[in-house]
Amino acid sequence: MARLRAPLVLAPTRDEVAGVVGGLLRDGWRLAVLAANEDVPGRRGATTDGFRIVYAFLRAGGPDGLGERAEVTLTLTREDAWYPSLASLSFSSERFEREVRDLFGIAVHDHPQPYRLTRHHNWPTGYYPMRSDADPAPVFDANHPFPFVEISGDGVYEIPVGPIHAGLIEPGHFRFTVVGESILQMRFRLWFMHRGLEKLFEGRSPQAGIALAERISGDTAVGHGLAYVLAVEDAAGIVVDERSRMIRALLLELERLYNHVGDLGAIVNDVGYGIAKSHCDALKEELLRHNKRLTGHRLLRGGVLLGGARLLAAPEASLVCQIADRADEVARVALEHPIVDNRVVDQAILPRETAVAFGALGYVARASGVVTDARAEHPFVDLGEHFQVVTERVGDVRARFEVRRRELAVSARLVADLTERLASLPETAPADWTPHAGAGLGVVEGWRGTIVHRVELDADGLVARLKPVDPSFFNWPAIGPALTDTIVPDFPLCNKSFNASYAGN
């Protein structure tokens, strides 16, 4: 099965780009990636001097089931490096544009919020880390306060939370404006541990990039590793055999299972139902040990290869199905408890129209009635009758819990079916390939939602540019509107029901 059709390629001028992008959005396309690229003559095969802004769009396919993609490329000279904001057309574009300005210094005209996003205010003014001439060791300024929109009035006050949190959670600062305990607004500040991963990919061989891709978000090693590999294979014209594609699909479901089991326990733990978390932690541990037997790593690293995939042992499908059943039982018992039910029902509701406007993905979108899943829209293997897209309608904490719970059964059935199908297929070696220049897109339904990687290879077959996009980039902003009419003590519960990745963002 082909991954995607050949892309629709468009190259409008700055005056035309808003009309072109607006037309795509009206026709049902979704902005999946906005990537900036710097071209320096002689550097990695570039012949021009300036910048390119690449908008990558996705759309669900027709009767043949193949997804569609489109790329809109805007070419800018170094002396006149600016482009118009498309924030009025797409909320996601608004955030991508701010990121591009922070990392490349490319001006965006008429942006509604022309403030820093990824670079905190202690980063040097005029320093753009993705530029070819960026100092690898800049001198940081004294820390400056982050500008939040202030609300004033009788009884209004602010509660700052973070950026340092208890446990192993990564840093993030949340600023609540409240009256009593009711939240009027919440603003968040992330990117405290900007690791420069996109820069680290430059000049690496595609094979060497896999280990880095697996670490973009540690709990999504398969999702990001596979999205990266699919992008490279798309750029290099590599055709992967059926067995390898099935192994990849299997690994994705195993990753979905252990994360969903962990989340089910963590969500109800935030309402004080710790016994359920203890049971889910034990079940997750069984899945992690099973993972290690399959790939040699508890987080399933090493299973996805360029041009193929590998397993060190056959999956124990019966064990996986038993664990999924036990986790489902724990989740059902938890929901039957009146205190748990009272805390999760009608809590942190994300309406469907808001989820669509913010471009929400994965279980966050599906819990609000948005039918979106790359396994159905952009399949790389036929999952057969055992696959279904799970949705709920209300969009509250319980709905996000229920989508996870119901997806356990779907993933377990897929693991059993794929394991049986793999048993009849002979062992294969990774596909050969010849290094050459090209660009490619990888689309995968990770456990949090759709992951997209866009890669460019130079003439030597090395990575010239990689732009990864985790679903968390789309889901983080949706937490704010979901907190309307929510009280501060319920924020941890609401936040966990979204469980957006700090590192992936």
Side-chain angles (χ1 to χ4, degrees), residues 159-182:
I159 302 175
V161 178
I164 304 303
H165 304 277
L168 298 177
I169 187 174
E170 292 191 340
H173 177 74
F174 302 91
R175 184 74 60 90
F176 298 91
T177 303
V178 302
V179 172
E181 289 189 325
S182 299

PDB file of all heavy atoms in Angstrom, residues 159-182:
ATOM      1  N   ILE A 159      -2.248  33.327  40.059  1.00  0.00           N
ATOM      2  CA  ILE A 159      -1.548  32.209  40.690  1.00  0.00           C
ATOM      3  C   ILE A 159      -0.508  31.694  39.696  1.00  0.00           C
ATOM      4  O   ILE A 159      -0.873  31.156  38.648  1.00  0.00           O
ATOM      5  CB  ILE A 159      -2.499  31.062  41.073  1.00  0.00           C
ATOM      6  CG1 ILE A 159      -3.598  31.552  42.016  1.00  0.00           C
ATOM      7  CG2 ILE A 159      -1.710  29.919  41.714  1.00  0.00           C
ATOM      8  CD1 ILE A 159      -4.630  30.490  42.339  1.00  0.00           C
ATOM      9  N   PRO A 160       0.780  31.857  40.002  1.00  0.00           N
ATOM     10  CA  PRO A 160       1.802  31.274  39.132  1.00  0.00           C
ATOM     11  C   PRO A 160       2.129  29.840  39.554  1.00  0.00           C
ATOM     12  O   PRO A 160       2.216  29.549  40.747  1.00  0.00           O
ATOM     13  CB  PRO A 160       3.009  32.198  39.356  1.00  0.00           C
ATOM     14  CG  PRO A 160       2.839  32.695  40.750  1.00  0.00           C
ATOM     15  CD  PRO A 160       1.358  32.705  41.046  1.00  0.00           C
ATOM     16  N   VAL A 161       2.294  28.972  38.593  1.00  0.00           N
ATOM     17  CA  VAL A 161       2.635  27.566  38.856  1.00  0.00           C
ATOM     18  C   VAL A 161       3.814  27.191  37.968  1.00  0.00           C
ATOM     19  O   VAL A 161       3.774  27.389  36.761  1.00  0.00           O
ATOM     20  CB  VAL A 161       1.444  26.627  38.568  1.00  0.00           C
ATOM     21  CG1 VAL A 161       1.845  25.170  38.802  1.00  0.00           C
ATOM     22  CG2 VAL A 161       0.252  26.995  39.431  1.00  0.00           C
ATOM     23  N   GLY A 162       4.844  26.637  38.564  1.00  0.00           N
ATOM     24  CA  GLY A 162       6.013  26.228  37.795  1.00  0.00           C
ATOM     25  C   GLY A 162       6.981  27.374  37.605  1.00  0.00           C
ATOM     26  O   GLY A 162       6.834  28.428  38.192  1.00  0.00           O
ATOM     27  N   PRO A 163       8.015  27.221  36.763  1.00  0.00           N
ATOM     28  CA  PRO A 163       8.182  26.106  35.818  1.00  0.00           C
ATOM     29  C   PRO A 163       8.665  24.786  36.404  1.00  0.00           C
ATOM     30  O   PRO A 163       8.590  23.763  35.735  1.00  0.00           O
ATOM     31  CB  PRO A 163       9.231  26.661  34.843  1.00  0.00           C
ATOM     32  CG  PRO A 163      10.027  27.620  35.647  1.00  0.00           C
ATOM     33  CD  PRO A 163       9.042  28.261  36.592  1.00  0.00           C
ATOM     34  N   ILE A 164       9.203  24.786  37.632  1.00  0.00           N
ATOM     35  CA  ILE A 164       9.688  23.537  38.195  1.00  0.00           C
ATOM     36  C   ILE A 164       8.528  22.843  38.897  1.00  0.00           C
ATOM     37  O   ILE A 164       7.808  23.447  39.704  1.00  0.00           O
ATOM     38  CB  ILE A 164      10.840  23.785  39.189  1.00  0.00           C
ATOM     39  CG1 ILE A 164      11.964  24.579  38.500  1.00  0.00           C
ATOM     40  CG2 ILE A 164      11.369  22.468  39.738  1.00  0.00           C
ATOM     41  CD1 ILE A 164      12.524  23.919  37.262  1.00  0.00           C
ATOM     42  N   HIS A 165       8.344  21.563  38.573  1.00  0.00           N
ATOM     43  CA  HIS A 165       7.245  20.785  39.139  1.00  0.00           C
ATOM     44  C   HIS A 165       7.792  19.588  39.901  1.00  0.00           C
ATOM     45  O   HIS A 165       8.957  19.215  39.762  1.00  0.00           O
ATOM     46  CB  HIS A 165       6.307  20.296  38.030  1.00  0.00           C
ATOM     47  CG  HIS A 165       5.759  21.389  37.171  1.00  0.00           C
ATOM     48  ND1 HIS A 165       4.663  22.132  37.531  1.00  0.00           N
ATOM     49  CD2 HIS A 165       6.160  21.870  35.967  1.00  0.00           C
ATOM     50  CE1 HIS A 165       4.411  23.029  36.600  1.00  0.00           C
ATOM     51  NE2 HIS A 165       5.302  22.881  35.635  1.00  0.00           N
ATOM     52  N   ALA A 166       6.943  18.975  40.687  1.00  0.00           N
ATOM     53  CA  ALA A 166       7.331  17.773  41.411  1.00  0.00           C
ATOM     54  C   ALA A 166       7.521  16.601  40.451  1.00  0.00           C
ATOM     55  O   ALA A 166       6.931  16.553  39.379  1.00  0.00           O
ATOM     56  CB  ALA A 166       6.272  17.447  42.453  1.00  0.00           C
ATOM     57  N   GLY A 167       8.345  15.653  40.855  1.00  0.00           N
ATOM     58  CA  GLY A 167       8.533  14.450  40.047  1.00  0.00           C
ATOM     59  C   GLY A 167       9.419  14.680  38.845  1.00  0.00           C
ATOM     60  O   GLY A 167      10.313  15.534  38.850  1.00  0.00           O
ATOM     61  N   LEU A 168       9.173  13.909  37.769  1.00  0.00           N
ATOM     62  CA  LEU A 168      10.018  13.936  36.579  1.00  0.00           C
ATOM     63  C   LEU A 168       9.455  14.797  35.462  1.00  0.00           C
ATOM     64  O   LEU A 168      10.012  14.822  34.372  1.00  0.00           O
ATOM     65  CB  LEU A 168      10.227  12.506  36.053  1.00  0.00           C
ATOM     66  CG  LEU A 168      10.939  11.550  37.000  1.00  0.00           C
ATOM     67  CD1 LEU A 168      11.016  10.159  36.388  1.00  0.00           C
ATOM     68  CD2 LEU A 168      12.329  12.045  37.347  1.00  0.00           C
ATOM     69  N   ILE A 169       8.342  15.493  35.718  1.00  0.00           N
ATOM     70  CA  ILE A 169       7.722  16.285  34.662  1.00  0.00           C
ATOM     71  C   ILE A 169       8.679  17.387  34.205  1.00  0.00           C
ATOM     72  O   ILE A 169       9.419  17.966  35.006  1.00  0.00           O
ATOM     73  CB  ILE A 169       6.387  16.868  35.165  1.00  0.00           C
ATOM     74  CG1 ILE A 169       5.627  17.568  34.040  1.00  0.00           C
ATOM     75  CG2 ILE A 169       6.614  17.825  36.333  1.00  0.00           C
ATOM     76  CD1 ILE A 169       4.238  18.030  34.454  1.00  0.00           C
ATOM     77  N   GLU A 170       8.646  17.674  32.898  1.00  0.00           N
ATOM     78  CA  GLU A 170       9.524  18.710  32.367  1.00  0.00           C
ATOM     79  C   GLU A 170       8.983  20.089  32.725  1.00  0.00           C
ATOM     80  O   GLU A 170       7.813  20.240  33.076  1.00  0.00           O
ATOM     81  CB  GLU A 170       9.656  18.549  30.851  1.00  0.00           C
ATOM     82  CG  GLU A 170      10.410  17.292  30.468  1.00  0.00           C
ATOM     83  CD  GLU A 170      10.788  17.257  28.998  1.00  0.00           C
ATOM     84  OE1 GLU A 170      10.181  17.982  28.204  1.00  0.00           O
ATOM     85  OE2 GLU A 170      11.707  16.495  28.657  1.00  0.00           O
ATOM     86  N   PRO A 171       9.825  21.137  32.664  1.00  0.00           N
ATOM     87  CA  PRO A 171       9.398  22.455  33.140  1.00  0.00           C
ATOM     88  C   PRO A 171       8.409  23.146  32.230  1.00  0.00           C
ATOM     89  O   PRO A 171       8.508  23.116  31.007  1.00  0.00           O
ATOM     90  CB  PRO A 171      10.721  23.242  33.208  1.00  0.00           C
ATOM     91  CG  PRO A 171      11.636  22.552  32.257  1.00  0.00           C
ATOM     92  CD  PRO A 171      11.259  21.105  32.301  1.00  0.00           C
ATOM     93  N   GLY A 172       7.442  23.792  32.850  1.00  0.00           N
ATOM     94  CA  GLY A 172       6.460  24.604  32.151  1.00  0.00           C
ATOM     95  C   GLY A 172       5.831  25.559  33.146  1.00  0.00           C
ATOM     96  O   GLY A 172       5.531  25.181  34.285  1.00  0.00           O
ATOM     97  N   HIS A 173       5.669  26.813  32.741  1.00  0.00           N
ATOM     98  CA  HIS A 173       5.106  27.819  33.643  1.00  0.00           C
ATOM     99  C   HIS A 173       3.661  28.099  33.255  1.00  0.00           C
ATOM    100  O   HIS A 173       3.362  28.347  32.078  1.00  0.00           O
ATOM    101  CB  HIS A 173       5.906  29.116  33.564  1.00  0.00           C
ATOM    102  CG  HIS A 173       5.347  30.213  34.415  1.00  0.00           C
ATOM    103  ND1 HIS A 173       5.463  30.217  35.784  1.00  0.00           N
ATOM    104  CD2 HIS A 173       4.650  31.332  34.100  1.00  0.00           C
ATOM    105  CE1 HIS A 173       4.871  31.290  36.274  1.00  0.00           C
ATOM    106  NE2 HIS A 173       4.370  31.983  35.269  1.00  0.00           N
ATOM    107  N   PHE A 174       2.769  28.061  34.241  1.00  0.00           N
ATOM    108  CA  PHE A 174       1.357  28.337  34.021  1.00  0.00           C
ATOM    109  C   PHE A 174       0.955  29.538  34.875  1.00  0.00           C
ATOM    110  O   PHE A 174       1.298  29.612  36.062  1.00  0.00           O
ATOM    111  CB  PHE A 174       0.501  27.124  34.390  1.00  0.00           C
ATOM    112  CG  PHE A 174       0.861  25.882  33.610  1.00  0.00           C
ATOM    113  CD1 PHE A 174       1.795  24.991  34.105  1.00  0.00           C
ATOM    114  CD2 PHE A 174       0.281  25.630  32.377  1.00  0.00           C
ATOM    115  CE1 PHE A 174       2.150  23.859  33.385  1.00  0.00           C
ATOM    116  CE2 PHE A 174       0.616  24.496  31.652  1.00  0.00           C
ATOM    117  CZ  PHE A 174       1.560  23.612  32.152  1.00  0.00           C
ATOM    118  N   ARG A 175       0.244  30.473  34.270  1.00  0.00           N
ATOM    119  CA  ARG A 175      -0.202  31.678  34.979  1.00  0.00           C
ATOM    120  C   ARG A 175      -1.724  31.718  34.943  1.00  0.00           C
ATOM    121  O   ARG A 175      -2.335  31.861  33.879  1.00  0.00           O
ATOM    122  CB  ARG A 175       0.374  32.917  34.312  1.00  0.00           C
ATOM    123  CG  ARG A 175       0.043  34.220  35.016  1.00  0.00           C
ATOM    124  CD  ARG A 175       0.848  34.402  36.300  1.00  0.00           C
ATOM    125  NE  ARG A 175       2.266  34.406  36.047  1.00  0.00           N
ATOM    126  CZ  ARG A 175       2.995  35.499  35.769  1.00  0.00           C
ATOM    127  NH1 ARG A 175       2.399  36.664  35.665  1.00  0.00           N
ATOM    128  NH2 ARG A 175       4.294  35.403  35.584  1.00  0.00           N
ATOM    129  N   PHE A 176      -2.331  31.566  36.130  1.00  0.00           N
ATOM    130  CA  PHE A 176      -3.791  31.550  36.238  1.00  0.00           C
ATOM    131  C   PHE A 176      -4.287  32.901  36.724  1.00  0.00           C
ATOM    132  O   PHE A 176      -3.779  33.440  37.718  1.00  0.00           O
ATOM    133  CB  PHE A 176      -4.256  30.481  37.228  1.00  0.00           C
ATOM    134  CG  PHE A 176      -3.877  29.084  36.835  1.00  0.00           C
ATOM    135  CD1 PHE A 176      -2.678  28.527  37.260  1.00  0.00           C
ATOM    136  CD2 PHE A 176      -4.722  28.314  36.045  1.00  0.00           C
ATOM    137  CE1 PHE A 176      -2.326  27.238  36.900  1.00  0.00           C
ATOM    138  CE2 PHE A 176      -4.380  27.025  35.690  1.00  0.00           C
ATOM    139  CZ  PHE A 176      -3.181  26.488  36.118  1.00  0.00           C
ATOM    140  N   THR A 177      -5.253  33.449  36.026  1.00  0.00           N
ATOM    141  CA  THR A 177      -5.980  34.613  36.509  1.00  0.00           C
ATOM    142  C   THR A 177      -7.325  34.110  37.028  1.00  0.00           C
ATOM    143  O   THR A 177      -8.084  33.481  36.272  1.00  0.00           O
ATOM    144  CB  THR A 177      -6.195  35.647  35.391  1.00  0.00           C
ATOM    145  OG1 THR A 177      -4.926  36.021  34.850  1.00  0.00           O
ATOM    146  CG2 THR A 177      -6.878  36.884  35.939  1.00  0.00           C
ATOM    147  N   VAL A 178      -7.596  34.370  38.324  1.00  0.00           N
ATOM    148  CA  VAL A 178      -8.752  33.726  38.952  1.00  0.00           C
ATOM    149  C   VAL A 178      -9.567  34.723  39.776  1.00  0.00           C
ATOM    150  O   VAL A 178      -9.082  35.781  40.191  1.00  0.00           O
ATOM    151  CB  VAL A 178      -8.318  32.557  39.866  1.00  0.00           C
ATOM    152  CG1 VAL A 178      -7.547  31.525  39.100  1.00  0.00           C
ATOM    153  CG2 VAL A 178      -7.468  33.082  41.022  1.00  0.00           C
ATOM    154  N   VAL A 179     -10.808  34.366  40.001  1.00  0.00           N
ATOM    155  CA  VAL A 179     -11.676  35.014  40.988  1.00  0.00           C
ATOM    156  C   VAL A 179     -12.153  33.904  41.907  1.00  0.00           C
ATOM    157  O   VAL A 179     -12.823  32.965  41.445  1.00  0.00           O
ATOM    158  CB  VAL A 179     -12.873  35.726  40.335  1.00  0.00           C
ATOM    159  CG1 VAL A 179     -13.842  36.210  41.410  1.00  0.00           C
ATOM    160  CG2 VAL A 179     -12.415  36.896  39.504  1.00  0.00           C
ATOM    161  N   GLY A 180     -11.787  33.998  43.192  1.00  0.00           N
ATOM    162  CA  GLY A 180     -12.048  32.875  44.079  1.00  0.00           C
ATOM    163  C   GLY A 180     -11.201  31.697  43.625  1.00  0.00           C
ATOM    164  O   GLY A 180      -9.978  31.769  43.596  1.00  0.00           O
ATOM    165  N   GLU A 181     -11.862  30.612  43.216  1.00  0.00           N
ATOM    166  CA  GLU A 181     -11.151  29.465  42.646  1.00  0.00           C
ATOM    167  C   GLU A 181     -11.427  29.296  41.157  1.00  0.00           C
ATOM    168  O   GLU A 181     -10.847  28.427  40.510  1.00  0.00           O
ATOM    169  CB  GLU A 181     -11.543  28.176  43.376  1.00  0.00           C
ATOM    170  CG  GLU A 181     -11.013  28.066  44.782  1.00  0.00           C
ATOM    171  CD  GLU A 181     -11.237  26.691  45.373  1.00  0.00           C
ATOM    172  OE1 GLU A 181     -12.286  26.069  45.070  1.00  0.00           O
ATOM    173  OE2 GLU A 181     -10.368  26.212  46.125  1.00  0.00           O
ATOM    174  N   SER A 182     -12.305  30.119  40.598  1.00  0.00           N
ATOM    175  CA  SER A 182     -12.684  29.973  39.190  1.00  0.00           C
ATOM    176  C   SER A 182     -11.640  30.609  38.277  1.00  0.00           C
ATOM    177  O   SER A 182     -11.226  31.757  38.494  1.00  0.00           O
ATOM    178  CB  SER A 182     -14.054  30.618  38.946  1.00  0.00           C
ATOM    179  OG  SER A 182     -15.048  29.992  39.715  1.00  0.00           O
TER     180      SER A 182
END
